[in-house]
Amino acid sequence: MLEPTFDEVAEWIEAFDQVVKQEGGTQGTRLLQALADRARAAGVDVPVQLNTPYTNTIPVEDEAPYPGDRALERRIESLMRWNAMAMVHHQNKNDAGIGGHISTYSSLATLLEVGFNHFFHATYGDQPGDFVYFQGHASPGVYARAFLEGRLTEEHLDNFRHELRGKPALSSYPHPWLMPNFWRFPTVSMGLGPLNAIYQARFMRYLENRNLIPKTPRKVWAFVGDGETDEPETMGSLTLATREKLDNLIFVINCNLQRLDGPVRGNGKIINELESAFRGAGWNVIKVIWGSGWDQLLARDTTGHLLKRMEECVDGEYQSFRAKDGAYIRKEFFGKYPETLALVANMTDDDIWRLQRGGHDPQKVFNAYKRAVEHKGGPTVILAKTVKGYGLGTAQARNATHQEKKLSDEALAAFRMRFDIPLPEKAAHDGSPYRPSPDSQEIVYLHERRQKLGGYMPVREVPKSNFEAPPLEFFSESLEGSKGRAVSTTMGFVSMLRNLMKDPKIGKLVVPIIPDEGRTFGMESIIRQVGIYASQGQLYKPHDQDMLLYYREEKDGQILEEGITEAGSMASFTAAGTAYSNFRVPTIPFFTYYSMFGFQRIGDMIWAFADSRGKGFLMGGTAGRTTMLGEGLQHQDGHSVVLSSTVPTCATYDPAFVYEAAVIIQDGLRRMYQEGEDLFYYITLYNEDYPMPSMPEGCREGIARGIYKYKAAESGPAAVQLFGSGSILNEALRAQKILAEKYGVQSDVWSVTSYNELRRDALAAERWNRLHPAESPRRPYILEALDAGSAEAGSKSKPAKTKAGSKPNAGNKTSSGEATPIIAATDYMKIVPDQLSPWLGARLVTLGTDGFGRSDNREHLRRHFEVNAESIVAAALSRLARDGKFDAAEAVKAMKELGVDAEKVDPARA
Ligand SMILES: Cc1ncc(C[n+]2csc(CCOP(=O)(O)OP(=O)(O)O)c2C)c(N)n1
Ligand SMILES: [Mg+2]
């Protein structure tokens, strides 16, 4: 302890020391607490102190002895280190620029190995075991272990980052999409792993509290980079974990003090910063800063100068110490004070160099993990100090170490010596992998440890499903229409959800997720029906408890009301949408949100969800740039379906009527959960009320595939085809009427439920045709549907002349054999229908909502964006005039009549 600055303080400290000595630490805590209370009562400021001294949280005298064979584990870890490094080194020699990382794992190895040997359960009886979110850039180390376990072959290692060679290969990072039997959690986009881990731990409790899984001691471990904590996603939901008392959650932050470019907090201390942030958020914080070698130095530090030196050094200095050598540390660290220099007087420079950081000391790491798994009542974070590039010689702790892919010959030789790898020089030089024989002590021990812990990890499994999707008749209420009542597709969806949750078989599997938008979507009735999940139940009487639709919270409530966090909601959606594999329970999440704040705000999380082979329904409420009225630029969504089209496993639908939504949801349940297809749905929901028609016959397939003719021309063949989607379909129907009644132009109206799916189908057909030039071509569904539609129309008047399958690019023809123009109107951007341009060619005229939103009502918005019925009519007449099928002067006159201003500002640029 350093000298206090004035005598009075010395007396107080002496008194306090005596209490602790005689009555123990607990009494010391009580005394401090009492003093603090007293001070507050007296109006004295009590300083908030979230940092503890820069030493290990667990005092050496409280440490449990290490349970494993330290020497053997060290050997095994050395083999991991070699194989991880060699894999990356070898591949980069072989294929320059292919990339990979060496330094991350080298800092993480001990932190992972102690877990693998003593903590990570692969199973708990017949239940799945712990979940581990690995630091993505450490994947070579995880592969190295699986190699030693015999789960991966040399060929796998040889094909690290060579996934397209027709050989068993390894993906760069944890990707369940690419290695579906291995990785569970994609973590390589910084910040997503820790955020998903928090909600995973919470979802585990949710499933337990709802009796969907038995309670187990299962933990969620998230390995996080210290640089990764810069991401708001990493730190943004910490308080949820304490609020929910998630003692099944353990973060291990690998504080190697470096990120990609350089130090994380060169001028400060990342461990201190994180300690105060996590403690402030209520987490149990365990610092693992110093290895065992430091214990005797600290014990001899009677003057407190060593601790003072530890406190005053910033991370930039700590980094330099490990980038240099023992002599440098003696001079620059210990040499600052005679007292500290004296402490190491009898140590050689090598001895000093061997003083390790805590994260490389299995004893310290084991004790931290032990405390973490035993901790009750809240989450734990372990802040483990490590060295980036540990053992990599000249690459160690260098700013550029993150990017290191290859070692020099000398460094390789030094590595081999240092970790004692029994490979011949030549093989080592090439970066050959090394695996001792199966009956070697190392390999026997390795298997033994994993058997004790229930098997190997990571493993991803998908149990066989006996899920049966409800038949379409289940949704009969939605198929029958609203009997003249004006309702929205959102309301229709809410009724469907309510009914689904009542189903005795699958009702309990439904997980409604809402980010504080339940009322926006009229979901109050669901809150009443199934309650909001609240791990503590409802500790208060809701003020509205006398009302029918009161705010009901329950311990086994079904709704996840996440509050205002789309990212958190998406993390819940991810936990629920992958539970079919992780928990072997096929929960069906419906995440309903403001469509504007989905793909564009949390797109990267959705991408990772797809990588995870997640299933479920994203429900984009308040869809459409002109249907969502009044809210203006930031809220009116005219592009989420463009963004959703970029996610390969996302099936996007933009239904106009409730029965369409019912067909889509039924089909989704069947495909995802019954047939086991790896995909998920994005369905737009509108809040415009209008009478919902009953489902016409024969449109089920068209709805699922993307288009069907909703209303044929009343008399005679159509001169123009009108495509509409979502609530803009009503504008197309109104246009159909105006065209016929005012201008004598017949038109068919089609509901396009999914341009995205139509495009994917057409691309697949086109690709097949390209690759099979000698065979008769396949026709995209869009052309098949249009042909069938015109054949049908033709049969009403004259016999149809078109032959399906004849010409791949022949468009829809009228009975007279001519291709009619198509006016496609959408509440989304023009690019959405334009996706079909390659197949519809010049026939296609698109009206959409490009440009920023405006605060106004639907009528004005639709006029502004030129997607109202009048604009559709004008577009049809204009196009017919250009084709010489309508008098141009009449078309100009009509536009005036319709109130379509030809000189108005272009909304796309307004
Ligand atoms: C969202 C995101 N942004 C940027 C990157 C690129 N990147 C990969 S690793 C890395 C640095 C990681 O540092 P840290 O979290 O400290 O991990 P370490 O390798 O030091 O253990 C960066 C910036 C990424 N993977 N994800
Ligand atoms: Mg780091």
PDB file of all heavy atoms in Angstrom, residues 767-786:
ATOM      1  N   ARG A 767     -30.753 -19.804 -66.698  1.00  0.00           N
ATOM      2  CA  ARG A 767     -29.449 -20.467 -66.512  1.00  0.00           C
ATOM      3  C   ARG A 767     -29.500 -21.875 -67.090  1.00  0.00           C
ATOM      4  O   ARG A 767     -28.578 -22.310 -67.782  1.00  0.00           O
ATOM      5  CB  ARG A 767     -29.117 -20.510 -65.016  1.00  0.00           C
ATOM      6  CG  ARG A 767     -27.883 -21.294 -64.699  1.00  0.00           C
ATOM      7  CD  ARG A 767     -27.512 -21.262 -63.221  1.00  0.00           C
ATOM      8  NE  ARG A 767     -26.344 -22.094 -62.992  1.00  0.00           N
ATOM      9  CZ  ARG A 767     -26.384 -23.393 -62.763  1.00  0.00           C
ATOM     10  NH1 ARG A 767     -27.568 -24.019 -62.708  1.00  0.00           N
ATOM     11  NH2 ARG A 767     -25.275 -24.082 -62.587  1.00  0.00           N
ATOM     12  N   TRP A 768     -30.571 -22.559 -66.805  1.00  0.00           N
ATOM     13  CA  TRP A 768     -30.700 -23.928 -67.321  1.00  0.00           C
ATOM     14  C   TRP A 768     -30.660 -23.913 -68.855  1.00  0.00           C
ATOM     15  O   TRP A 768     -29.957 -24.711 -69.467  1.00  0.00           O
ATOM     16  CB  TRP A 768     -32.012 -24.538 -66.821  1.00  0.00           C
ATOM     17  CG  TRP A 768     -32.078 -26.022 -67.061  1.00  0.00           C
ATOM     18  CD1 TRP A 768     -31.675 -27.000 -66.211  1.00  0.00           C
ATOM     19  CD2 TRP A 768     -32.567 -26.677 -68.250  1.00  0.00           C
ATOM     20  NE1 TRP A 768     -31.866 -28.227 -66.776  1.00  0.00           N
ATOM     21  CE2 TRP A 768     -32.407 -28.072 -68.038  1.00  0.00           C
ATOM     22  CE3 TRP A 768     -33.101 -26.237 -69.456  1.00  0.00           C
ATOM     23  CZ2 TRP A 768     -32.798 -29.020 -68.987  1.00  0.00           C
ATOM     24  CZ3 TRP A 768     -33.473 -27.179 -70.406  1.00  0.00           C
ATOM     25  CH2 TRP A 768     -33.327 -28.563 -70.181  1.00  0.00           C
ATOM     26  N   ASN A 769     -31.343 -22.977 -69.432  1.00  0.00           N
ATOM     27  CA  ASN A 769     -31.364 -22.889 -70.900  1.00  0.00           C
ATOM     28  C   ASN A 769     -29.968 -22.601 -71.458  1.00  0.00           C
ATOM     29  O   ASN A 769     -29.562 -23.154 -72.475  1.00  0.00           O
ATOM     30  CB  ASN A 769     -32.329 -21.792 -71.364  1.00  0.00           C
ATOM     31  CG  ASN A 769     -33.766 -22.145 -71.011  1.00  0.00           C
ATOM     32  OD1 ASN A 769     -34.066 -23.303 -70.692  1.00  0.00           O
ATOM     33  ND2 ASN A 769     -34.663 -21.154 -71.044  1.00  0.00           N
ATOM     34  N   ARG A 770     -29.252 -21.723 -70.737  1.00  0.00           N
ATOM     35  CA  ARG A 770     -27.908 -21.374 -71.188  1.00  0.00           C
ATOM     36  C   ARG A 770     -26.999 -22.596 -71.165  1.00  0.00           C
ATOM     37  O   ARG A 770     -26.174 -22.796 -72.045  1.00  0.00           O
ATOM     38  CB  ARG A 770     -27.360 -20.294 -70.245  1.00  0.00           C
ATOM     39  CG  ARG A 770     -26.062 -19.670 -70.677  1.00  0.00           C
ATOM     40  CD  ARG A 770     -25.688 -18.500 -69.765  1.00  0.00           C
ATOM     41  NE  ARG A 770     -25.177 -18.930 -68.475  1.00  0.00           N
ATOM     42  CZ  ARG A 770     -25.706 -18.636 -67.309  1.00  0.00           C
ATOM     43  NH1 ARG A 770     -26.802 -17.879 -67.231  1.00  0.00           N
ATOM     44  NH2 ARG A 770     -25.171 -19.057 -66.186  1.00  0.00           N
ATOM     45  N   LEU A 771     -27.203 -23.422 -70.152  1.00  0.00           N
ATOM     46  CA  LEU A 771     -26.319 -24.581 -69.995  1.00  0.00           C
ATOM     47  C   LEU A 771     -26.788 -25.792 -70.800  1.00  0.00           C
ATOM     48  O   LEU A 771     -26.085 -26.792 -70.869  1.00  0.00           O
ATOM     49  CB  LEU A 771     -26.203 -24.937 -68.504  1.00  0.00           C
ATOM     50  CG  LEU A 771     -25.547 -23.849 -67.644  1.00  0.00           C
ATOM     51  CD1 LEU A 771     -25.633 -24.189 -66.167  1.00  0.00           C
ATOM     52  CD2 LEU A 771     -24.079 -23.645 -68.061  1.00  0.00           C
ATOM     53  N   HIS A 772     -27.986 -25.713 -71.372  1.00  0.00           N
ATOM     54  CA  HIS A 772     -28.516 -26.847 -72.142  1.00  0.00           C
ATOM     55  C   HIS A 772     -29.022 -26.375 -73.488  1.00  0.00           C
ATOM     56  O   HIS A 772     -30.223 -26.467 -73.784  1.00  0.00           O
ATOM     57  CB  HIS A 772     -29.653 -27.536 -71.368  1.00  0.00           C
ATOM     58  CG  HIS A 772     -29.226 -28.032 -70.028  1.00  0.00           C
ATOM     59  ND1 HIS A 772     -29.270 -27.239 -68.903  1.00  0.00           N
ATOM     60  CD2 HIS A 772     -28.722 -29.217 -69.635  1.00  0.00           C
ATOM     61  CE1 HIS A 772     -28.823 -27.923 -67.867  1.00  0.00           C
ATOM     62  NE2 HIS A 772     -28.486 -29.129 -68.287  1.00  0.00           N
ATOM     63  N   PRO A 773     -28.113 -25.881 -74.316  1.00  0.00           N
ATOM     64  CA  PRO A 773     -28.560 -25.274 -75.585  1.00  0.00           C
ATOM     65  C   PRO A 773     -29.249 -26.254 -76.527  1.00  0.00           C
ATOM     66  O   PRO A 773     -29.993 -25.835 -77.414  1.00  0.00           O
ATOM     67  CB  PRO A 773     -27.257 -24.734 -76.194  1.00  0.00           C
ATOM     68  CG  PRO A 773     -26.158 -25.449 -75.500  1.00  0.00           C
ATOM     69  CD  PRO A 773     -26.648 -25.813 -74.161  1.00  0.00           C
ATOM     70  N   ALA A 774     -28.999 -27.540 -76.337  1.00  0.00           N
ATOM     71  CA  ALA A 774     -29.569 -28.499 -77.279  1.00  0.00           C
ATOM     72  C   ALA A 774     -30.958 -28.976 -76.858  1.00  0.00           C
ATOM     73  O   ALA A 774     -31.621 -29.699 -77.603  1.00  0.00           O
ATOM     74  CB  ALA A 774     -28.632 -29.693 -77.430  1.00  0.00           C
ATOM     75  N   GLU A 775     -31.377 -28.586 -75.671  1.00  0.00           N
ATOM     76  CA  GLU A 775     -32.673 -29.103 -75.224  1.00  0.00           C
ATOM     77  C   GLU A 775     -33.746 -28.030 -75.326  1.00  0.00           C
ATOM     78  O   GLU A 775     -33.450 -26.847 -75.408  1.00  0.00           O
ATOM     79  CB  GLU A 775     -32.530 -29.603 -73.794  1.00  0.00           C
ATOM     80  CG  GLU A 775     -31.496 -30.718 -73.759  1.00  0.00           C
ATOM     81  CD  GLU A 775     -31.391 -31.363 -72.404  1.00  0.00           C
ATOM     82  OE1 GLU A 775     -32.445 -31.686 -71.834  1.00  0.00           O
ATOM     83  OE2 GLU A 775     -30.258 -31.526 -71.942  1.00  0.00           O
ATOM     84  N   SER A 776     -35.007 -28.483 -75.337  1.00  0.00           N
ATOM     85  CA  SER A 776     -36.060 -27.485 -75.488  1.00  0.00           C
ATOM     86  C   SER A 776     -36.100 -26.617 -74.230  1.00  0.00           C
ATOM     87  O   SER A 776     -35.966 -27.110 -73.121  1.00  0.00           O
ATOM     88  CB  SER A 776     -37.411 -28.145 -75.756  1.00  0.00           C
ATOM     89  OG  SER A 776     -37.859 -28.755 -74.598  1.00  0.00           O
ATOM     90  N   PRO A 777     -36.204 -25.317 -74.437  1.00  0.00           N
ATOM     91  CA  PRO A 777     -35.992 -24.393 -73.316  1.00  0.00           C
ATOM     92  C   PRO A 777     -37.106 -24.439 -72.265  1.00  0.00           C
ATOM     93  O   PRO A 777     -38.260 -24.735 -72.582  1.00  0.00           O
ATOM     94  CB  PRO A 777     -35.965 -23.031 -73.998  1.00  0.00           C
ATOM     95  CG  PRO A 777     -36.696 -23.217 -75.266  1.00  0.00           C
ATOM     96  CD  PRO A 777     -36.517 -24.633 -75.691  1.00  0.00           C
ATOM     97  N   ARG A 778     -36.706 -24.128 -71.052  1.00  0.00           N
ATOM     98  CA  ARG A 778     -37.688 -23.996 -69.971  1.00  0.00           C
ATOM     99  C   ARG A 778     -38.237 -22.575 -70.010  1.00  0.00           C
ATOM    100  O   ARG A 778     -37.536 -21.650 -70.392  1.00  0.00           O
ATOM    101  CB  ARG A 778     -37.019 -24.241 -68.625  1.00  0.00           C
ATOM    102  CG  ARG A 778     -36.617 -25.671 -68.467  1.00  0.00           C
ATOM    103  CD  ARG A 778     -36.041 -25.930 -67.092  1.00  0.00           C
ATOM    104  NE  ARG A 778     -35.693 -27.340 -67.009  1.00  0.00           N
ATOM    105  CZ  ARG A 778     -34.993 -27.888 -66.039  1.00  0.00           C
ATOM    106  NH1 ARG A 778     -34.560 -27.138 -65.049  1.00  0.00           N
ATOM    107  NH2 ARG A 778     -34.732 -29.172 -66.043  1.00  0.00           N
ATOM    108  N   ARG A 779     -39.459 -22.436 -69.583  1.00  0.00           N
ATOM    109  CA  ARG A 779     -40.041 -21.096 -69.582  1.00  0.00           C
ATOM    110  C   ARG A 779     -40.159 -20.572 -68.161  1.00  0.00           C
ATOM    111  O   ARG A 779     -40.625 -21.278 -67.270  1.00  0.00           O
ATOM    112  CB  ARG A 779     -41.451 -21.133 -70.199  1.00  0.00           C
ATOM    113  CG  ARG A 779     -41.451 -21.570 -71.626  1.00  0.00           C
ATOM    114  CD  ARG A 779     -42.638 -20.969 -72.329  1.00  0.00           C
ATOM    115  NE  ARG A 779     -42.349 -19.622 -72.764  1.00  0.00           N
ATOM    116  CZ  ARG A 779     -43.278 -18.668 -72.869  1.00  0.00           C
ATOM    117  NH1 ARG A 779     -44.520 -18.910 -72.546  1.00  0.00           N
ATOM    118  NH2 ARG A 779     -42.964 -17.477 -73.304  1.00  0.00           N
ATOM    119  N   PRO A 780     -39.770 -19.352 -67.959  1.00  0.00           N
ATOM    120  CA  PRO A 780     -39.965 -18.759 -66.636  1.00  0.00           C
ATOM    121  C   PRO A 780     -41.454 -18.742 -66.286  1.00  0.00           C
ATOM    122  O   PRO A 780     -42.305 -18.589 -67.175  1.00  0.00           O
ATOM    123  CB  PRO A 780     -39.442 -17.340 -66.803  1.00  0.00           C
ATOM    124  CG  PRO A 780     -38.564 -17.370 -68.000  1.00  0.00           C
ATOM    125  CD  PRO A 780     -39.127 -18.433 -68.892  1.00  0.00           C
ATOM    126  N   TYR A 781     -41.736 -18.869 -65.007  1.00  0.00           N
ATOM    127  CA  TYR A 781     -43.136 -18.901 -64.567  1.00  0.00           C
ATOM    128  C   TYR A 781     -43.883 -17.638 -64.974  1.00  0.00           C
ATOM    129  O   TYR A 781     -45.053 -17.694 -65.336  1.00  0.00           O
ATOM    130  CB  TYR A 781     -43.205 -19.102 -63.049  1.00  0.00           C
ATOM    131  CG  TYR A 781     -44.621 -19.264 -62.568  1.00  0.00           C
ATOM    132  CD1 TYR A 781     -45.310 -20.456 -62.764  1.00  0.00           C
ATOM    133  CD2 TYR A 781     -45.292 -18.210 -61.943  1.00  0.00           C
ATOM    134  CE1 TYR A 781     -46.623 -20.604 -62.356  1.00  0.00           C
ATOM    135  CE2 TYR A 781     -46.604 -18.354 -61.528  1.00  0.00           C
ATOM    136  CZ  TYR A 781     -47.266 -19.554 -61.737  1.00  0.00           C
ATOM    137  OH  TYR A 781     -48.574 -19.693 -61.336  1.00  0.00           O
ATOM    138  N   ILE A 782     -43.189 -16.510 -64.957  1.00  0.00           N
ATOM    139  CA  ILE A 782     -43.867 -15.265 -65.301  1.00  0.00           C
ATOM    140  C   ILE A 782     -44.460 -15.355 -66.714  1.00  0.00           C
ATOM    141  O   ILE A 782     -45.593 -14.918 -66.959  1.00  0.00           O
ATOM    142  CB  ILE A 782     -42.938 -14.032 -65.138  1.00  0.00           C
ATOM    143  CG1 ILE A 782     -43.601 -12.734 -65.627  1.00  0.00           C
ATOM    144  CG2 ILE A 782     -41.609 -14.175 -65.860  1.00  0.00           C
ATOM    145  CD1 ILE A 782     -44.752 -12.281 -64.826  1.00  0.00           C
ATOM    146  N   LEU A 783     -43.730 -15.942 -67.624  1.00  0.00           N
ATOM    147  CA  LEU A 783     -44.238 -16.031 -69.004  1.00  0.00           C
ATOM    148  C   LEU A 783     -45.322 -17.097 -69.108  1.00  0.00           C
ATOM    149  O   LEU A 783     -46.324 -16.916 -69.800  1.00  0.00           O
ATOM    150  CB  LEU A 783     -43.086 -16.320 -69.975  1.00  0.00           C
ATOM    151  CG  LEU A 783     -42.015 -15.217 -70.027  1.00  0.00           C
ATOM    152  CD1 LEU A 783     -40.920 -15.581 -71.027  1.00  0.00           C
ATOM    153  CD2 LEU A 783     -42.629 -13.859 -70.397  1.00  0.00           C
ATOM    154  N   GLU A 784     -45.126 -18.188 -68.405  1.00  0.00           N
ATOM    155  CA  GLU A 784     -46.157 -19.238 -68.369  1.00  0.00           C
ATOM    156  C   GLU A 784     -47.474 -18.656 -67.873  1.00  0.00           C
ATOM    157  O   GLU A 784     -48.536 -18.890 -68.442  1.00  0.00           O
ATOM    158  CB  GLU A 784     -45.741 -20.367 -67.415  1.00  0.00           C
ATOM    159  CG  GLU A 784     -44.615 -21.234 -67.908  1.00  0.00           C
ATOM    160  CD  GLU A 784     -45.071 -22.201 -68.999  1.00  0.00           C
ATOM    161  OE1 GLU A 784     -46.284 -22.292 -69.227  1.00  0.00           O
ATOM    162  OE2 GLU A 784     -44.193 -22.821 -69.625  1.00  0.00           O
ATOM    163  N   ALA A 785     -47.366 -17.887 -66.772  1.00  0.00           N
ATOM    164  CA  ALA A 785     -48.578 -17.347 -66.162  1.00  0.00           C
ATOM    165  C   ALA A 785     -49.260 -16.376 -67.123  1.00  0.00           C
ATOM    166  O   ALA A 785     -50.489 -16.416 -67.301  1.00  0.00           O
ATOM    167  CB  ALA A 785     -48.231 -16.653 -64.853  1.00  0.00           C
ATOM    168  N   LEU A 786     -48.476 -15.520 -67.769  1.00  0.00           N
ATOM    169  CA  LEU A 786     -49.066 -14.545 -68.693  1.00  0.00           C
ATOM    170  C   LEU A 786     -49.713 -15.258 -69.885  1.00  0.00           C
ATOM    171  O   LEU A 786     -50.808 -14.904 -70.316  1.00  0.00           O
ATOM    172  CB  LEU A 786     -47.999 -13.562 -69.187  1.00  0.00           C
ATOM    173  CG  LEU A 786     -47.555 -12.511 -68.173  1.00  0.00           C
ATOM    174  CD1 LEU A 786     -46.373 -11.730 -68.699  1.00  0.00           C
ATOM    175  CD2 LEU A 786     -48.708 -11.557 -67.832  1.00  0.00           C
TER     176      LEU A 786
END
